[in-house]
Amino acid sequence: MGLQDDGPAPDAGADAGADAESAPLALKILVAGGFGAGKTTLVGSVSEIRPLRTEELLSRAGEMVDDTGGVGRKTTTTVAMDFGRITIRAGLSLYLFGTPGQDRFWFLWDELSQGALGAVVLADTRRLEDCFPAVDYFEHRRIPFVVAVNCFTDARRYGANEVARALDLEQGTPVVLCDARDKDSGKEVLVRLVEYAGRVHTARLLDSVGPPAGPH
């Protein structure tokens, strides 16, 4: 009695490829910006889990180092980080890490930025200069970022091009207008960042590979 032919053996490589394509992908995103720009608000509005917050009440001593001009109603400040999670689409989730805005907490930024796909720099046009340090930080470390202008109701409105010129951004850096309190608005900012960061990282990868070798 001969052996029965059950057809070709399963392709283990193909199965592994299919598993890789279906495996969920989680990307790390930083949310940075100046003091009171709305970082905690953005993380909280878009997060599908209860966000982790490390906020403390502003103290009398803190008044000596924290400039609350333009954000006088702010009573708390982030002292470590905010954390949230949002699903952009099936199989793609973003882990959001909100950074503290004051100078004395910047030592945390290097730790938080490890492995980040990109960053959102929240800008408040009433205190636009406050986001300069975040812009410089990500430009110098070649971390892709978008500038999201949080449109406060009592702030003068500026167009994206005006903000880009005022911040002297590198050509191509996206500037978007948003409402950090609104989930859909915040999600649109994150989608723009993922798209932009994906293009930047792809271009860098192609540059590192170099042009194909010609015929000898």
Side-chain angles (χ1 to χ4, degrees):
M1 186 174 179
L3 295 174
Q4 183 177 354
D5 185 0
D6 292 328
D11 187 342
D15 290 344
D19 290 342
E21 290 180 0
S22 61
L25 179 63
L27 303 175
K28 182 180 182 180
I29 302 295
L30 300 186
V31 180
F35 178 67
K39 301 179 293 296
T40 298
T41 300
L42 176 65
V43 172
S45 67
V46 301
S47 180
E48 61 197 20
I49 62 172
R50 183 177 181 180
L52 169 66
R53 292 172 174 167
T54 57
E55 289 198 311
E56 295 291 342
L57 290 173
L58 289 173
S59 65
R60 183 68 61 87
E63 292 177 359
M64 303 298 294
V65 290
D66 294 330
D67 179 10
T68 58
V71 289
R73 290 180 295 178
K74 185 173 175 61
T75 59
T76 61
T77 185
T78 299
V79 296
M81 68 174 185
D82 299 312
F83 174 77
R85 185 189 70 203
I86 179 175
T87 300
I88 297 297
R89 57 173 171 77
L92 175 60
S93 298
L94 304 182
Y95 288 163
L96 309 176
F97 292 82
T99 64
Q102 299 97 311
D103 299 11
R104 64 186 184 279
F105 296 124
W106 283 353
F107 67 92
L108 294 170
W109 286 35
D110 288 336
E111 293 293 332
L112 292 175
S113 64
Q114 293 295 321
L117 174 77
V120 173
V121 176
L122 270 175
D124 177 355
T125 57
R126 300 169 302 180
R127 300 159 52 106
L128 193 60
E129 67 280 1
D130 286 2
C131 69
F132 279 134
V135 169
D136 289 342
Y137 182 90
F138 296 124
E139 284 184 344
H140 289 156
R141 287 159 180 78
R142 304 184 71 228
I143 298 175
F145 67 94
V146 302
V147 173
V149 180
N150 193 8
C151 298
F152 291 92
T153 55
D154 58 343
R156 181 179 172 184
R157 298 301 175 95
Y158 293 90
N161 290 334
E162 292 177 286
V163 173
R165 287 195 299 270
L167 293 176
D168 193 24
L169 298 176
E170 294 181 355
Q171 186 174 5
T173 302
V175 177
V176 295
L177 307 182
C178 74
D179 182 344
R181 302 167 300 179
D182 183 78
K183 180 176 182 177
D184 290 337
S185 181
K187 183 175 180 180
E188 179 60 27
V189 170
L190 296 173
V191 169
R192 286 286 301 276
L193 171 62
V194 171
E195 292 174 346
Y196 174 65
R199 293 194 301 269
V200 170
H201 287 298
T202 298
R204 290 175 182 172
L205 178 61
L206 293 176
D207 287 344
S208 68
V209 172
H216 295 287

